Amino acid sequence: TVDPSQLCMDLIGKEHLPYDIVAKVEALERDWICLMWYSWAFKERPKYKSEAWNSDVWQAMWLVLGDMDIDTFRVESAERKLGMWPSKLNIGVAYHGTDTPTTPGDTVLGPPESDFVCLTEQFVPPAWKLTDAEWKKRETQHAEDVVKKIGEYAPNIDWDKVGGYMPVTPYHTARQCKNYAPAGNWCVIDNIPSQWGRFRPIPEMARHKIPSIEGLYCTGSAWHPWGAAHSAQGYNCYKVMSEDMGLIKPWEKDGRPF
């Protein structure tokens, strides 16, 4: 599950690959899916204003605290392409649940004083755009901004209600996960039309094989159909290997169409 650059440049060596393969791998885009990824433990769950007409909104697996401006994401896209910090905060909130075990043996997700845990996301510029000191400042400022933003939608939330938080920025991911470097890209390479589906990561490598190198198979978030934490890439790779090596094909036995 290495990324294409690691595979071709660091492990194989570009001198062993055709020039066009090397050029396409070097041109892969990987600066776009860079996140402030914060895990939060609150002493009480956010009570959203919208619960007045949608009582179970707080249980949504994914919600976005944004606005109704149709230009919001167009502006954010332009800002991030220019390496600027987004001028508006449009955070996604992933609901993880209450922190009180309902069944003996259930895992407690947060610190003892927490009653509700969740994850927040915000897309930001890549890791290499800021210095170490700038990222450290942003790490703290983003926490302040998130608590303020949630408080606009759930007035009961302020810093007195925060039991703790764990910040993960592009600075962290670019340094802790080699295949995320240098941008801190959560999908290794960007999910864009030229790097999607049968084109991912490049057409010559999309079938999980490297041209001219027999018996080498590769997979991971940078392979088709798209980047994310799911099993499709590994499953696709196994299907290619099963054709080449005569391995068992459970999908045929079970009569599945895929």
Side-chain angles (χ1 to χ4, degrees), residues 36 40 64-67 72-73 76 79 85-93 120-124 138 141-153:
M36 303 295 273
W40 296 87
V64 176
L65 308 183
D67 59 38
T72 289
F73 293 108
E76 180 189 292
E79 290 171 335
W85 202 263
S87 55
K88 287 184 178 180
L89 196 65
N90 293 288
I91 61 171
V93 181
T120 61
E121 287 186 6
Q122 166 75 35
F123 286 93
V124 295
R138 284 290 183 183
Q141 184 59 54
H142 184 70
E144 297 283 351
D145 293 342
V146 168
V147 173
K148 180 180 179 181
K149 188 72 171 182
I150 294 177
E152 293 174 7
Y153 293 81

PDB file of all heavy atoms in Angstrom, residues 36 40 64-67 72-73 76 79 85-93 120-124 138 141-153:
ATOM      1  N   MET A  36      -7.583  19.396   8.507  1.00  0.00           N
ATOM      2  CA  MET A  36      -7.494  19.530   9.954  1.00  0.00           C
ATOM      3  C   MET A  36      -8.487  18.499  10.500  1.00  0.00           C
ATOM      4  O   MET A  36      -9.696  18.603  10.268  1.00  0.00           O
ATOM      5  CB  MET A  36      -7.885  20.933  10.398  1.00  0.00           C
ATOM      6  CG  MET A  36      -7.064  22.032   9.750  1.00  0.00           C
ATOM      7  SD  MET A  36      -5.315  22.010  10.208  1.00  0.00           S
ATOM      8  CE  MET A  36      -5.342  23.002  11.699  1.00  0.00           C
ATOM      9  N   TRP A  40     -12.830  15.184  19.293  1.00  0.00           N
ATOM     10  CA  TRP A  40     -13.295  15.985  20.418  1.00  0.00           C
ATOM     11  C   TRP A  40     -14.040  15.134  21.441  1.00  0.00           C
ATOM     12  O   TRP A  40     -14.780  14.230  21.077  1.00  0.00           O
ATOM     13  CB  TRP A  40     -14.246  17.082  19.932  1.00  0.00           C
ATOM     14  CG  TRP A  40     -13.612  18.085  19.033  1.00  0.00           C
ATOM     15  CD1 TRP A  40     -13.466  18.004  17.676  1.00  0.00           C
ATOM     16  CD2 TRP A  40     -13.014  19.323  19.421  1.00  0.00           C
ATOM     17  NE1 TRP A  40     -12.829  19.112  17.191  1.00  0.00           N
ATOM     18  CE2 TRP A  40     -12.535  19.947  18.240  1.00  0.00           C
ATOM     19  CE3 TRP A  40     -12.853  19.974  20.645  1.00  0.00           C
ATOM     20  CZ2 TRP A  40     -11.897  21.173  18.264  1.00  0.00           C
ATOM     21  CZ3 TRP A  40     -12.220  21.199  20.670  1.00  0.00           C
ATOM     22  CH2 TRP A  40     -11.746  21.785  19.489  1.00  0.00           C
ATOM     23  N   VAL A  64     -22.560  19.120   8.115  1.00  0.00           N
ATOM     24  CA  VAL A  64     -21.633  20.210   7.806  1.00  0.00           C
ATOM     25  C   VAL A  64     -22.175  21.503   8.391  1.00  0.00           C
ATOM     26  O   VAL A  64     -23.338  21.849   8.186  1.00  0.00           O
ATOM     27  CB  VAL A  64     -21.422  20.360   6.289  1.00  0.00           C
ATOM     28  CG1 VAL A  64     -20.531  21.572   5.996  1.00  0.00           C
ATOM     29  CG2 VAL A  64     -20.796  19.101   5.707  1.00  0.00           C
ATOM     30  N   LEU A  65     -21.334  22.214   9.114  1.00  0.00           N
ATOM     31  CA  LEU A  65     -21.690  23.516   9.674  1.00  0.00           C
ATOM     32  C   LEU A  65     -21.128  24.574   8.731  1.00  0.00           C
ATOM     33  O   LEU A  65     -19.978  24.985   8.835  1.00  0.00           O
ATOM     34  CB  LEU A  65     -21.110  23.666  11.086  1.00  0.00           C
ATOM     35  CG  LEU A  65     -21.430  22.529  12.064  1.00  0.00           C
ATOM     36  CD1 LEU A  65     -20.864  22.832  13.443  1.00  0.00           C
ATOM     37  CD2 LEU A  65     -22.936  22.279  12.151  1.00  0.00           C
ATOM     38  N   GLY A  66     -21.956  24.986   7.782  1.00  0.00           N
ATOM     39  CA  GLY A  66     -21.519  25.946   6.779  1.00  0.00           C
ATOM     40  C   GLY A  66     -22.495  27.095   6.677  1.00  0.00           C
ATOM     41  O   GLY A  66     -23.018  27.570   7.681  1.00  0.00           O
ATOM     42  N   ASP A  67     -22.777  27.534   5.466  1.00  0.00           N
ATOM     43  CA  ASP A  67     -23.742  28.609   5.275  1.00  0.00           C
ATOM     44  C   ASP A  67     -24.461  28.400   3.944  1.00  0.00           C
ATOM     45  O   ASP A  67     -24.216  27.418   3.239  1.00  0.00           O
ATOM     46  CB  ASP A  67     -23.079  29.987   5.348  1.00  0.00           C
ATOM     47  CG  ASP A  67     -21.983  30.166   4.312  1.00  0.00           C
ATOM     48  OD1 ASP A  67     -22.134  29.686   3.167  1.00  0.00           O
ATOM     49  OD2 ASP A  67     -20.972  30.803   4.633  1.00  0.00           O
ATOM     50  N   THR A  72     -19.540  29.883  -1.546  1.00  0.00           N
ATOM     51  CA  THR A  72     -18.631  29.532  -0.457  1.00  0.00           C
ATOM     52  C   THR A  72     -17.529  28.582  -0.898  1.00  0.00           C
ATOM     53  O   THR A  72     -16.334  28.830  -0.674  1.00  0.00           O
ATOM     54  CB  THR A  72     -19.415  28.917   0.716  1.00  0.00           C
ATOM     55  OG1 THR A  72     -20.184  29.930   1.347  1.00  0.00           O
ATOM     56  CG2 THR A  72     -18.465  28.315   1.753  1.00  0.00           C
ATOM     57  N   PHE A  73     -17.895  27.479  -1.530  1.00  0.00           N
ATOM     58  CA  PHE A  73     -16.889  26.476  -1.862  1.00  0.00           C
ATOM     59  C   PHE A  73     -16.071  26.861  -3.086  1.00  0.00           C
ATOM     60  O   PHE A  73     -14.923  26.437  -3.232  1.00  0.00           O
ATOM     61  CB  PHE A  73     -17.553  25.108  -2.041  1.00  0.00           C
ATOM     62  CG  PHE A  73     -18.120  24.578  -0.759  1.00  0.00           C
ATOM     63  CD1 PHE A  73     -19.488  24.523  -0.548  1.00  0.00           C
ATOM     64  CD2 PHE A  73     -17.281  24.169   0.261  1.00  0.00           C
ATOM     65  CE1 PHE A  73     -20.005  24.059   0.643  1.00  0.00           C
ATOM     66  CE2 PHE A  73     -17.780  23.702   1.462  1.00  0.00           C
ATOM     67  CZ  PHE A  73     -19.156  23.648   1.660  1.00  0.00           C
ATOM     68  N   GLU A  76     -13.531  29.049  -1.452  1.00  0.00           N
ATOM     69  CA  GLU A  76     -12.583  28.228  -0.691  1.00  0.00           C
ATOM     70  C   GLU A  76     -11.623  27.490  -1.619  1.00  0.00           C
ATOM     71  O   GLU A  76     -10.421  27.402  -1.348  1.00  0.00           O
ATOM     72  CB  GLU A  76     -13.323  27.220   0.184  1.00  0.00           C
ATOM     73  CG  GLU A  76     -12.371  26.345   0.995  1.00  0.00           C
ATOM     74  CD  GLU A  76     -13.057  25.202   1.704  1.00  0.00           C
ATOM     75  OE1 GLU A  76     -13.834  25.482   2.633  1.00  0.00           O
ATOM     76  OE2 GLU A  76     -12.816  24.036   1.321  1.00  0.00           O
ATOM     77  N   GLU A  79      -9.040  29.902  -2.843  1.00  0.00           N
ATOM     78  CA  GLU A  79      -8.108  30.257  -1.767  1.00  0.00           C
ATOM     79  C   GLU A  79      -7.092  29.150  -1.530  1.00  0.00           C
ATOM     80  O   GLU A  79      -5.880  29.409  -1.422  1.00  0.00           O
ATOM     81  CB  GLU A  79      -8.889  30.542  -0.491  1.00  0.00           C
ATOM     82  CG  GLU A  79      -9.695  31.835  -0.538  1.00  0.00           C
ATOM     83  CD  GLU A  79     -10.631  31.995   0.640  1.00  0.00           C
ATOM     84  OE1 GLU A  79     -11.033  30.968   1.243  1.00  0.00           O
ATOM     85  OE2 GLU A  79     -10.973  33.151   0.934  1.00  0.00           O
ATOM     86  N   TRP A  85      -5.236  30.255   3.560  1.00  0.00           N
ATOM     87  CA  TRP A  85      -6.130  29.610   4.514  1.00  0.00           C
ATOM     88  C   TRP A  85      -7.567  29.985   4.167  1.00  0.00           C
ATOM     89  O   TRP A  85      -7.839  31.133   3.824  1.00  0.00           O
ATOM     90  CB  TRP A  85      -5.814  30.067   5.925  1.00  0.00           C
ATOM     91  CG  TRP A  85      -6.288  29.089   6.958  1.00  0.00           C
ATOM     92  CD1 TRP A  85      -7.454  29.134   7.663  1.00  0.00           C
ATOM     93  CD2 TRP A  85      -5.604  27.909   7.386  1.00  0.00           C
ATOM     94  NE1 TRP A  85      -7.539  28.058   8.510  1.00  0.00           N
ATOM     95  CE2 TRP A  85      -6.427  27.285   8.361  1.00  0.00           C
ATOM     96  CE3 TRP A  85      -4.391  27.323   7.048  1.00  0.00           C
ATOM     97  CZ2 TRP A  85      -6.060  26.111   9.000  1.00  0.00           C
ATOM     98  CZ3 TRP A  85      -4.027  26.147   7.676  1.00  0.00           C
ATOM     99  CH2 TRP A  85      -4.854  25.549   8.642  1.00  0.00           C
ATOM    100  N   PRO A  86      -8.513  29.040   4.204  1.00  0.00           N
ATOM    101  CA  PRO A  86      -9.906  29.374   3.880  1.00  0.00           C
ATOM    102  C   PRO A  86     -10.422  30.527   4.748  1.00  0.00           C
ATOM    103  O   PRO A  86     -10.233  30.526   5.964  1.00  0.00           O
ATOM    104  CB  PRO A  86     -10.655  28.071   4.175  1.00  0.00           C
ATOM    105  CG  PRO A  86      -9.624  27.005   4.019  1.00  0.00           C
ATOM    106  CD  PRO A  86      -8.343  27.613   4.515  1.00  0.00           C
ATOM    107  N   SER A  87     -11.069  31.476   4.117  1.00  0.00           N
ATOM    108  CA  SER A  87     -11.575  32.632   4.848  1.00  0.00           C
ATOM    109  C   SER A  87     -12.826  32.298   5.647  1.00  0.00           C
ATOM    110  O   SER A  87     -13.174  33.021   6.581  1.00  0.00           O
ATOM    111  CB  SER A  87     -11.878  33.783   3.879  1.00  0.00           C
ATOM    112  OG  SER A  87     -12.771  33.362   2.854  1.00  0.00           O
ATOM    113  N   LYS A  88     -13.508  31.203   5.295  1.00  0.00           N
ATOM    114  CA  LYS A  88     -14.669  30.737   6.040  1.00  0.00           C
ATOM    115  C   LYS A  88     -14.401  29.334   6.574  1.00  0.00           C
ATOM    116  O   LYS A  88     -13.709  28.541   5.948  1.00  0.00           O
ATOM    117  CB  LYS A  88     -15.918  30.696   5.152  1.00  0.00           C
ATOM    118  CG  LYS A  88     -16.505  32.043   4.802  1.00  0.00           C
ATOM    119  CD  LYS A  88     -17.792  31.839   4.003  1.00  0.00           C
ATOM    120  CE  LYS A  88     -18.461  33.147   3.650  1.00  0.00           C
ATOM    121  NZ  LYS A  88     -19.713  32.921   2.878  1.00  0.00           N
ATOM    122  N   LEU A  89     -14.989  29.071   7.729  1.00  0.00           N
ATOM    123  CA  LEU A  89     -14.882  27.737   8.305  1.00  0.00           C
ATOM    124  C   LEU A  89     -16.119  26.941   7.907  1.00  0.00           C
ATOM    125  O   LEU A  89     -17.246  27.322   8.228  1.00  0.00           O
ATOM    126  CB  LEU A  89     -14.787  27.840   9.831  1.00  0.00           C
ATOM    127  CG  LEU A  89     -14.305  26.599  10.584  1.00  0.00           C
ATOM    128  CD1 LEU A  89     -12.860  26.288  10.224  1.00  0.00           C
ATOM    129  CD2 LEU A  89     -14.422  26.816  12.082  1.00  0.00           C
ATOM    130  N   ASN A  90     -15.923  25.852   7.167  1.00  0.00           N
ATOM    131  CA  ASN A  90     -17.014  24.953   6.777  1.00  0.00           C
ATOM    132  C   ASN A  90     -16.656  23.557   7.270  1.00  0.00           C
ATOM    133  O   ASN A  90     -16.116  22.745   6.531  1.00  0.00           O
ATOM    134  CB  ASN A  90     -17.198  24.950   5.257  1.00  0.00           C
ATOM    135  CG  ASN A  90     -17.690  26.281   4.732  1.00  0.00           C
ATOM    136  OD1 ASN A  90     -18.838  26.647   4.940  1.00  0.00           O
ATOM    137  ND2 ASN A  90     -16.820  27.010   4.062  1.00  0.00           N
ATOM    138  N   ILE A  91     -16.913  23.313   8.528  1.00  0.00           N
ATOM    139  CA  ILE A  91     -16.430  22.065   9.118  1.00  0.00           C
ATOM    140  C   ILE A  91     -17.453  20.947   8.970  1.00  0.00           C
ATOM    141  O   ILE A  91     -18.659  21.149   9.074  1.00  0.00           O
ATOM    142  CB  ILE A  91     -16.055  22.239  10.601  1.00  0.00           C
ATOM    143  CG1 ILE A  91     -17.252  22.668  11.448  1.00  0.00           C
ATOM    144  CG2 ILE A  91     -14.914  23.214  10.760  1.00  0.00           C
ATOM    145  CD1 ILE A  91     -16.969  22.641  12.937  1.00  0.00           C
ATOM    146  N   GLY A  92     -16.936  19.757   8.707  1.00  0.00           N
ATOM    147  CA  GLY A  92     -17.754  18.557   8.760  1.00  0.00           C
ATOM    148  C   GLY A  92     -17.664  17.968  10.156  1.00  0.00           C
ATOM    149  O   GLY A  92     -16.609  18.012  10.790  1.00  0.00           O
ATOM    150  N   VAL A  93     -18.780  17.433  10.636  1.00  0.00           N
ATOM    151  CA  VAL A  93     -18.823  16.822  11.965  1.00  0.00           C
ATOM    152  C   VAL A  93     -19.260  15.376  11.807  1.00  0.00           C
ATOM    153  O   VAL A  93     -20.355  15.096  11.310  1.00  0.00           O
ATOM    154  CB  VAL A  93     -19.798  17.560  12.904  1.00  0.00           C
ATOM    155  CG1 VAL A  93     -19.795  16.907  14.287  1.00  0.00           C
ATOM    156  CG2 VAL A  93     -19.433  19.032  13.026  1.00  0.00           C
ATOM    157  N   THR A 120     -14.151  16.409  13.797  1.00  0.00           N
ATOM    158  CA  THR A 120     -14.401  17.533  12.896  1.00  0.00           C
ATOM    159  C   THR A 120     -13.330  17.564  11.817  1.00  0.00           C
ATOM    160  O   THR A 120     -12.184  17.183  12.047  1.00  0.00           O
ATOM    161  CB  THR A 120     -14.416  18.881  13.642  1.00  0.00           C
ATOM    162  OG1 THR A 120     -13.136  19.114  14.269  1.00  0.00           O
ATOM    163  CG2 THR A 120     -15.518  18.915  14.686  1.00  0.00           C
ATOM    164  N   GLU A 121     -13.739  18.009  10.624  1.00  0.00           N
ATOM    165  CA  GLU A 121     -12.832  18.109   9.478  1.00  0.00           C
ATOM    166  C   GLU A 121     -12.947  19.492   8.840  1.00  0.00           C
ATOM    167  O   GLU A 121     -14.026  20.065   8.777  1.00  0.00           O
ATOM    168  CB  GLU A 121     -13.190  17.075   8.398  1.00  0.00           C
ATOM    169  CG  GLU A 121     -12.849  15.649   8.727  1.00  0.00           C
ATOM    170  CD  GLU A 121     -13.121  14.735   7.530  1.00  0.00           C
ATOM    171  OE1 GLU A 121     -13.451  15.260   6.438  1.00  0.00           O
ATOM    172  OE2 GLU A 121     -13.015  13.524   7.685  1.00  0.00           O
ATOM    173  N   GLN A 122     -11.826  19.971   8.349  1.00  0.00           N
ATOM    174  CA  GLN A 122     -11.801  21.193   7.551  1.00  0.00           C
ATOM    175  C   GLN A 122     -10.675  21.059   6.531  1.00  0.00           C
ATOM    176  O   GLN A 122      -9.546  20.713   6.880  1.00  0.00           O
ATOM    177  CB  GLN A 122     -11.540  22.414   8.430  1.00  0.00           C
ATOM    178  CG  GLN A 122     -11.169  23.688   7.682  1.00  0.00           C
ATOM    179  CD  GLN A 122     -12.355  24.353   6.993  1.00  0.00           C
ATOM    180  OE1 GLN A 122     -13.457  24.320   7.507  1.00  0.00           O
ATOM    181  NE2 GLN A 122     -12.122  24.956   5.842  1.00  0.00           N
ATOM    182  N   PHE A 123     -10.976  21.297   5.255  1.00  0.00           N
ATOM    183  CA  PHE A 123      -9.950  21.263   4.222  1.00  0.00           C
ATOM    184  C   PHE A 123      -9.106  22.528   4.292  1.00  0.00           C
ATOM    185  O   PHE A 123      -9.635  23.644   4.418  1.00  0.00           O
ATOM    186  CB  PHE A 123     -10.588  21.132   2.836  1.00  0.00           C
ATOM    187  CG  PHE A 123     -11.118  19.765   2.551  1.00  0.00           C
ATOM    188  CD1 PHE A 123     -12.440  19.442   2.801  1.00  0.00           C
ATOM    189  CD2 PHE A 123     -10.284  18.786   2.037  1.00  0.00           C
ATOM    190  CE1 PHE A 123     -12.925  18.173   2.545  1.00  0.00           C
ATOM    191  CE2 PHE A 123     -10.763  17.510   1.781  1.00  0.00           C
ATOM    192  CZ  PHE A 123     -12.085  17.204   2.029  1.00  0.00           C
ATOM    193  N   VAL A 124      -7.781  22.354   4.184  1.00  0.00           N
ATOM    194  CA  VAL A 124      -6.846  23.468   4.324  1.00  0.00           C
ATOM    195  C   VAL A 124      -5.689  23.285   3.331  1.00  0.00           C
ATOM    196  O   VAL A 124      -5.608  22.267   2.642  1.00  0.00           O
ATOM    197  CB  VAL A 124      -6.300  23.546   5.767  1.00  0.00           C
ATOM    198  CG1 VAL A 124      -7.412  23.883   6.753  1.00  0.00           C
ATOM    199  CG2 VAL A 124      -5.605  22.246   6.164  1.00  0.00           C
ATOM    200  N   ARG A 138      -1.442  27.534  13.905  1.00  0.00           N
ATOM    201  CA  ARG A 138      -2.722  27.169  13.304  1.00  0.00           C
ATOM    202  C   ARG A 138      -3.409  26.053  14.078  1.00  0.00           C
ATOM    203  O   ARG A 138      -4.638  26.014  14.181  1.00  0.00           O
ATOM    204  CB  ARG A 138      -2.505  26.736  11.858  1.00  0.00           C
ATOM    205  CG  ARG A 138      -2.263  27.865  10.893  1.00  0.00           C
ATOM    206  CD  ARG A 138      -3.530  28.672  10.676  1.00  0.00           C
ATOM    207  NE  ARG A 138      -3.339  29.740   9.695  1.00  0.00           N
ATOM    208  CZ  ARG A 138      -4.287  30.614   9.369  1.00  0.00           C
ATOM    209  NH1 ARG A 138      -5.475  30.548   9.944  1.00  0.00           N
ATOM    210  NH2 ARG A 138      -4.039  31.545   8.475  1.00  0.00           N
ATOM    211  N   GLN A 141      -5.165  27.777  16.905  1.00  0.00           N
ATOM    212  CA  GLN A 141      -6.196  28.687  16.422  1.00  0.00           C
ATOM    213  C   GLN A 141      -7.387  27.934  15.854  1.00  0.00           C
ATOM    214  O   GLN A 141      -8.542  28.328  16.039  1.00  0.00           O
ATOM    215  CB  GLN A 141      -5.621  29.622  15.350  1.00  0.00           C
ATOM    216  CG  GLN A 141      -6.613  30.676  14.845  1.00  0.00           C
ATOM    217  CD  GLN A 141      -7.120  31.572  15.949  1.00  0.00           C
ATOM    218  OE1 GLN A 141      -6.328  32.165  16.669  1.00  0.00           O
ATOM    219  NE2 GLN A 141      -8.434  31.676  16.089  1.00  0.00           N
ATOM    220  N   HIS A 142      -7.110  26.818  15.168  1.00  0.00           N
ATOM    221  CA  HIS A 142      -8.209  26.045  14.587  1.00  0.00           C
ATOM    222  C   HIS A 142      -9.110  25.476  15.678  1.00  0.00           C
ATOM    223  O   HIS A 142     -10.338  25.438  15.518  1.00  0.00           O
ATOM    224  CB  HIS A 142      -7.658  24.922  13.714  1.00  0.00           C
ATOM    225  CG  HIS A 142      -8.718  24.143  13.010  1.00  0.00           C
ATOM    226  ND1 HIS A 142      -9.478  24.660  11.986  1.00  0.00           N
ATOM    227  CD2 HIS A 142      -9.180  22.865  13.193  1.00  0.00           C
ATOM    228  CE1 HIS A 142     -10.334  23.761  11.551  1.00  0.00           C
ATOM    229  NE2 HIS A 142     -10.179  22.661  12.271  1.00  0.00           N
ATOM    230  N   ALA A 143      -8.525  25.034  16.770  1.00  0.00           N
ATOM    231  CA  ALA A 143      -9.341  24.530  17.885  1.00  0.00           C
ATOM    232  C   ALA A 143     -10.260  25.635  18.397  1.00  0.00           C
ATOM    233  O   ALA A 143     -11.454  25.402  18.654  1.00  0.00           O
ATOM    234  CB  ALA A 143      -8.442  24.020  19.001  1.00  0.00           C
ATOM    235  N   GLU A 144      -9.730  26.836  18.547  1.00  0.00           N
ATOM    236  CA  GLU A 144     -10.553  27.963  18.982  1.00  0.00           C
ATOM    237  C   GLU A 144     -11.695  28.212  17.990  1.00  0.00           C
ATOM    238  O   GLU A 144     -12.846  28.441  18.372  1.00  0.00           O
ATOM    239  CB  GLU A 144      -9.691  29.220  19.120  1.00  0.00           C
ATOM    240  CG  GLU A 144      -8.600  29.138  20.173  1.00  0.00           C
ATOM    241  CD  GLU A 144      -9.127  29.303  21.586  1.00  0.00           C
ATOM    242  OE1 GLU A 144     -10.315  29.656  21.739  1.00  0.00           O
ATOM    243  OE2 GLU A 144      -8.354  29.075  22.538  1.00  0.00           O
ATOM    244  N   ASP A 145     -11.351  28.184  16.692  1.00  0.00           N
ATOM    245  CA  ASP A 145     -12.355  28.463  15.660  1.00  0.00           C
ATOM    246  C   ASP A 145     -13.457  27.404  15.641  1.00  0.00           C
ATOM    247  O   ASP A 145     -14.639  27.730  15.430  1.00  0.00           O
ATOM    248  CB  ASP A 145     -11.676  28.534  14.289  1.00  0.00           C
ATOM    249  CG  ASP A 145     -10.736  29.723  14.167  1.00  0.00           C
ATOM    250  OD1 ASP A 145     -10.844  30.659  14.969  1.00  0.00           O
ATOM    251  OD2 ASP A 145      -9.876  29.701  13.252  1.00  0.00           O
ATOM    252  N   VAL A 146     -13.079  26.145  15.840  1.00  0.00           N
ATOM    253  CA  VAL A 146     -14.064  25.060  15.802  1.00  0.00           C
ATOM    254  C   VAL A 146     -15.055  25.180  16.964  1.00  0.00           C
ATOM    255  O   VAL A 146     -16.270  25.050  16.781  1.00  0.00           O
ATOM    256  CB  VAL A 146     -13.368  23.680  15.816  1.00  0.00           C
ATOM    257  CG1 VAL A 146     -14.390  22.572  16.078  1.00  0.00           C
ATOM    258  CG2 VAL A 146     -12.662  23.432  14.500  1.00  0.00           C
ATOM    259  N   VAL A 147     -14.535  25.417  18.164  1.00  0.00           N
ATOM    260  CA  VAL A 147     -15.432  25.551  19.319  1.00  0.00           C
ATOM    261  C   VAL A 147     -16.381  26.726  19.119  1.00  0.00           C
ATOM    262  O   VAL A 147     -17.589  26.625  19.403  1.00  0.00           O
ATOM    263  CB  VAL A 147     -14.615  25.721  20.616  1.00  0.00           C
ATOM    264  CG1 VAL A 147     -15.543  26.031  21.802  1.00  0.00           C
ATOM    265  CG2 VAL A 147     -13.824  24.452  20.903  1.00  0.00           C
ATOM    266  N   LYS A 148     -15.868  27.827  18.594  1.00  0.00           N
ATOM    267  CA  LYS A 148     -16.727  28.988  18.328  1.00  0.00           C
ATOM    268  C   LYS A 148     -17.778  28.651  17.274  1.00  0.00           C
ATOM    269  O   LYS A 148     -18.958  29.006  17.417  1.00  0.00           O
ATOM    270  CB  LYS A 148     -15.876  30.166  17.863  1.00  0.00           C
ATOM    271  CG  LYS A 148     -16.680  31.423  17.572  1.00  0.00           C
ATOM    272  CD  LYS A 148     -15.773  32.564  17.125  1.00  0.00           C
ATOM    273  CE  LYS A 148     -16.575  33.809  16.800  1.00  0.00           C
ATOM    274  NZ  LYS A 148     -15.699  34.922  16.334  1.00  0.00           N
ATOM    275  N   LYS A 149     -17.361  27.932  16.216  1.00  0.00           N
ATOM    276  CA  LYS A 149     -18.287  27.582  15.142  1.00  0.00           C
ATOM    277  C   LYS A 149     -19.389  26.654  15.634  1.00  0.00           C
ATOM    278  O   LYS A 149     -20.573  26.853  15.340  1.00  0.00           O
ATOM    279  CB  LYS A 149     -17.530  26.922  13.993  1.00  0.00           C
ATOM    280  CG  LYS A 149     -18.358  26.687  12.736  1.00  0.00           C
ATOM    281  CD  LYS A 149     -18.652  27.989  12.023  1.00  0.00           C
ATOM    282  CE  LYS A 149     -19.278  27.767  10.673  1.00  0.00           C
ATOM    283  NZ  LYS A 149     -19.528  29.030   9.950  1.00  0.00           N
ATOM    284  N   ILE A 150     -19.020  25.621  16.371  1.00  0.00           N
ATOM    285  CA  ILE A 150     -20.033  24.709  16.900  1.00  0.00           C
ATOM    286  C   ILE A 150     -20.990  25.471  17.820  1.00  0.00           C
ATOM    287  O   ILE A 150     -22.207  25.242  17.807  1.00  0.00           O
ATOM    288  CB  ILE A 150     -19.375  23.531  17.649  1.00  0.00           C
ATOM    289  CG1 ILE A 150     -18.593  22.652  16.663  1.00  0.00           C
ATOM    290  CG2 ILE A 150     -20.425  22.696  18.382  1.00  0.00           C
ATOM    291  CD1 ILE A 150     -17.846  21.502  17.310  1.00  0.00           C
ATOM    292  N   GLY A 151     -20.447  26.418  18.597  1.00  0.00           N
ATOM    293  CA  GLY A 151     -21.278  27.202  19.491  1.00  0.00           C
ATOM    294  C   GLY A 151     -22.312  28.046  18.771  1.00  0.00           C
ATOM    295  O   GLY A 151     -23.370  28.350  19.340  1.00  0.00           O
ATOM    296  N   GLU A 152     -22.035  28.418  17.520  1.00  0.00           N
ATOM    297  CA  GLU A 152     -23.012  29.181  16.747  1.00  0.00           C
ATOM    298  C   GLU A 152     -24.232  28.332  16.412  1.00  0.00           C
ATOM    299  O   GLU A 152     -25.348  28.846  16.296  1.00  0.00           O
ATOM    300  CB  GLU A 152     -22.371  29.685  15.454  1.00  0.00           C
ATOM    301  CG  GLU A 152     -21.279  30.729  15.664  1.00  0.00           C
ATOM    302  CD  GLU A 152     -20.583  31.090  14.364  1.00  0.00           C
ATOM    303  OE1 GLU A 152     -21.042  30.620  13.293  1.00  0.00           O
ATOM    304  OE2 GLU A 152     -19.577  31.822  14.409  1.00  0.00           O
ATOM    305  N   TYR A 153     -24.042  27.033  16.247  1.00  0.00           N
ATOM    306  CA  TYR A 153     -25.124  26.116  15.890  1.00  0.00           C
ATOM    307  C   TYR A 153     -25.683  25.388  17.109  1.00  0.00           C
ATOM    308  O   TYR A 153     -26.840  24.994  17.107  1.00  0.00           O
ATOM    309  CB  TYR A 153     -24.626  25.090  14.870  1.00  0.00           C
ATOM    310  CG  TYR A 153     -24.290  25.683  13.533  1.00  0.00           C
ATOM    311  CD1 TYR A 153     -23.073  26.322  13.317  1.00  0.00           C
ATOM    312  CD2 TYR A 153     -25.194  25.621  12.482  1.00  0.00           C
ATOM    313  CE1 TYR A 153     -22.760  26.878  12.077  1.00  0.00           C
ATOM    314  CE2 TYR A 153     -24.900  26.169  11.240  1.00  0.00           C
ATOM    315  CZ  TYR A 153     -23.679  26.808  11.059  1.00  0.00           C
ATOM    316  OH  TYR A 153     -23.385  27.364   9.839  1.00  0.00           O
TER     317      TYR A 153
END
